[in-house]
Amino acid sequence: MAKSRFPQNFPPHLTPFTPTEPLLGIGPLGNHPLRFQDMHAAQFEQFCWWLLQRDYDIEGCQIIGGSGLSQGGIDLFGYSRDAKDQVIVFECKCWKDLEPRELKNAVQRFLAGPWATPGTKFVLIVAQQSTNRFAEAWNEARRLLRAQNIICTLWTSLHLTELVRLHPDVLVRFFPDATVNVYCNEWMRRVGFMMQLQKALVDERPAIRRLANEFLGQENQDTQKLKLEQINAFEDNWTFDAPWVHLDTILPSKRFTTGSLAIVVKKQTTSGLTVALSQEWLLKNLLALPGAPAKNTYRPFIYGPATPSLDADVVIDLHSARLQIPYTGLTAMCQALDRLMPVYTDALRSLEQRWDAIGHPFIGHNDNTVVAICTIPSHIWRLMLEFVCEHDANDGVSDWHIFDANPHYIKIYTTKSHPNFNLGYHTFIQARDDLEELCYGDDVVLTWEPPNSFQNFELEPGRWMSCTEALNWLRDSFLPEVGRWLIERELRTSWPWQRPAKRKKLAAIWTQQTRIWVHHEHPLSSNEEQQSVGLIAIVEKLQSNMGYGSPKLYLNIDETRSLYRSVIAVMKGGRGHVPYISSNLSLGNLCLSHHDIVQVLEQRIQMDNSSLSEYAVRHLLSAMLEGLNDDDSWIEGTQKELIFAGLMPLMHYHDMVQLFKRHSKWP
């Protein structure tokens, strides 16, 4: 392709003589990556142009979308100096949060242009770091590009940071406050200075660790303790690397329905040791609410001592390994786990949302994972299977001949045209009688099986039913049809004039017998749940479930004070038995009225800076319930909003406990 065919639509800021606009201010020494997301569009495009010229011959430029538009950007056309005959198209966009739809549009625009020819290389450059939001869309885009023999690459701020390390002049031009010794010093690279520094930070000898930290303190006065952290996220994998600990996580996903964690404690005495932890153990023992202190009270994997000193080693128990680690290393490990916490919980919620199974318990692990949808009497299950066996897809032409007859499963399977289903399998439902807390006595739990990730099954209308669709079909269509079928079979032995009355009676009996218990936990923190359930029911639920499950409750000072303000708002109503309220608030006989209680609680807000234990929170909620006195209609709208705001951390905690329980109690 001739160079003259490249567009020459260079904007004014892409010339060698145009002043560059630096990004002032930089994070702590060693922070990775650089803050490209803080650049504006023209500044980011200018950086890309300067950087790419170091390794490529840039021959053309084309503006996309127009100047100043967030969806705009530029295309830079050039050749690699190592491969003069390969055209490379760099699409530079200063995206802060790339949407899958925007990525798809960018790829389609490229494919529709004249440069999408076999052998061309397409490089998409964005300013953001995480690819979680658009990872699936990028995988689809790669398939489209590869189908036309186009090489494709995605550069994020992680890649740009690594590339600019080799070009100190570009780094200083755009990031003048960056520490060049860390990012660009070739001598440091050759002697492995940063690797040696990281080893010194985790040295067994406290004196060496102090020297390493003193060096870092001299390099950057803004931070007393350096966190040399590196985070990488790609598809279902999330890794975190820091001086004391390395985390390698497989996140819950469509393919790996349960996750796992490999953790490396970086010490000389544990060199080569990698501890693998299952999702069940991870959720029950390792993850904690972010910001929780490094104590066994909040983090069960900490074995002891209860009050470690800064120079003493702490014993940690990682399921199959018990290790010793300095307190500074333990603190770093807790900070690493706090970084993992929101990533892992988001993956769990995304999996529930993908399968339309929000709030339902997950049973089993990996390829054997199923979702509990409801509990029914076992004799009803047997009648359902009897109906299935008599309505095999190959034995009739009615709309209910849609089953692969099986004495143990309900398998919807169509072999002919049907108004609701395409051809093939659509859902598998099985019964379990061994699930604690989900079934009792002669009941069974019905479970929904997700689509096989290695087959071309998707949750689409007419194909594989989602969890909620299967539950609604079971409750609203299938069970009533089974009832009609059984009733008609029973009426065959009755006289014709007896059938109307008997049919009505049997239908009422069947409706009574088939009231099912749906397994679905609604999040208390949603506005819809607060409005539908009401304040009293939410406080009762929080009080009854407080202290049971993982993670352990931790409230910071602001959250504790906000909770006290909620109790004060209720106490101002002058309701409830004062001695009982005082007892729950550990006030003894100091308070003789609700006004006295309010004054004492206001003093606590001003003077007490400690976090409340789960035991104390449970009794505080008991006092609140007594103050409500089974009626919240007297509370004005603004006061009720204040009370809900104070309870919000507890509601988020309750939802987190329920999320962990759904994904760890029934392995």
Side-chain angles (χ1 to χ4, degrees):
M1 183 177 296
K3 294 184 180 181
S4 60
R5 293 190 59 188
F6 289 129
Q8 299 298 312
N9 192 16
F10 284 96
H13 58 276
L14 299 190
T15 69
F17 305 105
T18 303
T20 56
E21 182 180 350
L23 184 66
L24 300 178
I26 194 66
L29 174 63
N31 255 21
H32 189 76
L34 293 166
R35 295 184 295 107
F36 296 101
Q37 68 274 13
D38 292 342
M39 289 181 165
H40 57 74
Q43 191 179 18
F44 181 70
E45 294 166 5
Q46 198 175 37
F47 168 83
C48 292
W49 184 71
W50 276 93
L51 178 65
L52 292 174
Q53 286 187 107
R54 295 298 183 269
D55 298 307
Y56 302 91
D57 293 326
I58 302 301
E59 304 291 344
C61 178
Q62 180 172 271
I63 296 176
I64 305 170
S67 177
L69 296 178
S70 61
Q71 71 273 22
I74 59 172
D75 280 344
L76 296 175
F77 303 86
Y79 298 91
S80 171
R81 296 199 175 120
D82 297 328
K84 296 290 187 179
D85 57 343
Q86 183 185 50
V87 177
I88 306 178
V89 180
F90 299 93
E91 181 159 329
C92 311
K93 294 202 174 187
C94 193
W95 269 314
K96 302 299 188 296
D97 192 7
L98 176 58
E99 295 282 351
R101 175 180 55 80
E102 294 172 335
L103 187 147
K104 181 179 179 181
N105 292 340
V107 173
Q108 288 179 344
R109 186 194 63 82
F110 168 75
L111 289 174
W115 319 109
T117 58
T120 300
K121 185 175 181 180
F122 176 68
V123 181
L124 178 62
I125 307 177
V126 295
Q128 67 191 83
Q129 173 186 354
S130 173
T131 61
N132 286 341
R133 190 166 185 178
F134 61 86
E136 186 173 346
W138 175 244
N139 289 334
E140 178 62 27
R142 286 194 301 177
R143 286 192 289 269
L144 291 174
L145 292 166
R146 288 173 180 174
Q148 299 192 31
N149 294 323
I150 296 174
I151 305 169
C152 55
T153 306
L154 173 67
W155 289 0
T156 66
S157 59
L158 294 170
H159 303 86
L160 295 175
T161 301
E162 288 300 317
L163 291 171
V164 81
R165 286 177 185 271
L166 302 177
H167 306 290
D169 59 324
V170 178
L171 177 73
V172 174
R173 179 182 290 273
F174 289 92
F175 296 93
D177 294 336
T179 304
V180 181
N181 286 346
V182 172
Y183 285 99
C184 295
N185 194 303
E186 287 300 321
W187 172 81
M188 286 186 171
R189 283 179 174 274
R190 291 173 183 174
V191 300
F193 179 83
M194 294 307 297
M195 182 179 296
Q196 297 300 325
L197 177 60
Q198 290 200 22
K199 288 182 178 179
L201 288 169
V202 299
D203 196 281
E204 300 285 349
R205 296 161 291 184
I208 301 298
R209 296 201 300 270
R210 281 196 295 270
L211 286 173
N213 281 283
E214 286 175 5
F215 167 79
L216 296 172
Q218 293 171 1
E219 283 289 309
N220 193 320
Q221 299 296 332
D222 295 334
T223 57
Q224 296 180 355
K225 290 186 178 180
L226 175 67
K227 296 183 290 183
L228 295 175
E229 300 177 354
Q230 182 172 351
I231 297 176
N232 290 305
F234 180 73
E235 295 184 346
D236 305 325
N237 184 255
W238 186 89
T239 61
F240 177 94
D241 192 71
W244 278 105
V245 66
H246 175 84
L247 306 179
D248 195 342
T249 313
I250 295 178
L251 299 173
S253 63
K254 176 182 177 181
R255 181 177 180 184
F256 304 106
T257 53
T258 56
S260 61
L261 171 68
I263 183 168
V264 177
V265 178
K266 295 183 179 180
K267 289 181 58 182
Q268 295 176 356
T269 54
T270 60
S271 177
L273 174 65
T274 300
V275 181
L277 301 171
S278 66
Q279 176 172 286
E280 178 187 4
W281 201 93
L282 174 70
L283 297 181
K284 290 182 179 179
N285 300 278
L286 204 58
L287 295 184
L289 295 182
K295 297 180 180 179
N296 177 265
T297 307
Y298 306 103
R299 303 176 186 270
F301 73 93
I302 301 175
Y303 192 76
T307 55
S309 63
L310 292 178
D311 294 328
D313 283 353
V314 181
V315 179
I316 59 175
D317 192 338
L318 299 179
H319 191 39
S320 59
R322 185 167 290 184
L323 310 173
Q324 287 185 320
I325 186 171
Y327 185 76
T328 53
L330 175 66
T331 303
M333 183 175 176
C334 292
Q335 292 171 348
L337 293 172
D338 288 350
R339 302 291 291 273
L340 173 61
M341 175 75 164
V343 175
Y344 206 93
T345 53
D346 285 348
L348 291 175
R349 293 191 177 99
S350 296
L351 182 60
E352 291 187 356
Q353 188 173 10
R354 175 187 292 275
W355 288 347
D356 197 13
I358 298 174
H360 287 274
F362 279 50
I363 316 297
H365 61 279
N366 290 341
D367 290 340
N368 297 321
T369 298
V370 294
V371 180
I373 54 177
C374 65
T375 294
I376 64 172
S378 59
H379 73 276
I380 299 296
W381 171 247
R382 290 191 292 269
L383 292 173
M384 292 162 64
L385 292 178
E386 186 178 346
F387 180 90
V388 166
C389 290
E390 291 203 17
H391 291 79
D392 187 278
N394 296 318
D395 291 344
V397 296
S398 75
D399 287 345
W400 280 103
H401 283 82
I402 54 171
F403 300 101
D404 181 355
N406 188 297
H408 306 292
Y409 277 85
I410 294 178
K411 296 183 178 181
I412 300 182
Y413 174 62
T414 51
T415 58
K416 53 188 175 297
S417 178
H418 192 277
N420 299 323
F421 302 110
N422 299 336
L423 300 181
Y425 285 98
H426 302 283
T427 197
F428 294 168
I429 298 175
Q430 192 180 21
R432 295 275 297 271
D433 60 1
D434 57 345
L435 299 176
E436 182 184 0
E437 293 187 18
L438 298 182
C439 61
Y440 301 94
D442 198 34
D443 294 338
V444 294
V445 178
L446 301 191
T447 62
W448 169 85
E449 187 171 320
N452 191 322
S453 62
F454 296 98
Q455 298 181 14
N456 191 24
F457 286 164
E458 295 293 342
L459 300 182
E460 297 176 358
R463 299 190 69 186
W464 197 267
M465 283 186 177
S466 70
C467 179
T468 300
E469 287 174 341
L471 173 62
N472 293 338
W473 171 83
L474 190 77
R475 178 180 52 194
D476 302 333
S477 299
F478 183 57
L479 278 173
E481 182 62 26
V482 173
R484 286 189 289 269
W485 174 71
L486 292 171
I487 291 170
E488 293 304 322
R489 188 174 67 177
E490 179 69 23
L491 292 178
R492 292 171 191 162
T493 61
S494 305
W495 295 104
W497 57 84
Q498 296 175 332
R499 291 174 184 172
K502 195 171 182 179
R503 180 182 288 108
K504 185 176 181 180
K505 180 179 179 181
L506 291 174
I509 294 174
W510 178 255
T511 302
Q512 182 69 27
Q513 288 181 339
T514 54
R515 290 180 178 174
I516 62 178
W517 175 21
V518 176
H519 300 300
H520 182 260
E521 183 71 28
H522 296 276
L524 295 184
S525 56
S526 68
N527 292 330
E528 295 80 3
E529 186 71 6
Q530 294 169 23
Q531 294 174 3
S532 62
V533 174
L535 176 60
I536 295 175
I538 285 181
V539 176
E540 288 176 343
K541 199 162 190 176
L542 291 174
Q543 195 265 350
S544 62
N545 292 334
M546 187 59 58
Y548 303 102
S550 297
K552 305 301 180 183
L553 175 66
Y554 170 71
L555 298 177
N556 59 37
I557 295 174
D558 291 336
E559 291 170 341
T560 301
R561 291 172 177 171
S562 182
L563 182 58
Y564 273 128
R565 292 189 185 97
S566 296
V567 179
I568 290 173
V570 174
M571 293 302 108
K572 288 182 178 179
R575 294 166 171 258
H577 190 52
V578 172
Y580 179 79
I581 295 173
S582 298
S583 175
N584 278 284
L585 297 176
S586 301
L587 301 179
N589 298 321
L590 298 176
C591 300
L592 301 178
S593 66
H594 292 86
H595 178 72
D596 294 341
I597 294 174
V598 170
Q599 286 187 321
V600 173
L601 293 181
E602 288 178 342
Q603 291 176 1
R604 283 189 182 179
I605 291 176
Q606 298 298 324
M607 303 177 60
D608 190 0
N609 292 327
S610 60
S611 179
L612 292 172
S613 66
E614 291 179 339
Y615 178 83
V617 172
R618 189 184 306 116
H619 283 277
L620 191 147
L621 293 173
S622 295
M624 182 179 286
L625 285 172
E626 179 66 19
L628 289 170
N629 199 22
D630 297 329
D631 180 24
D632 63 354
S633 60
W634 56 273
I635 304 177
E636 297 180 355
T638 55
Q639 287 297 305
K640 186 170 289 189
E641 290 178 3
L642 184 148
I643 295 172
F644 273 125
L647 294 174
M648 188 58 68
L650 299 183
M651 289 188 278
H652 283 303
Y653 165 71
H654 173 274
D655 295 343
M656 188 70 68
V657 169
Q658 295 303 316
L659 176 70
F660 279 23
K661 180 180 178 180
R662 294 196 298 269
H663 291 271
S664 64
K665 184 174 179 61
W666 298 279

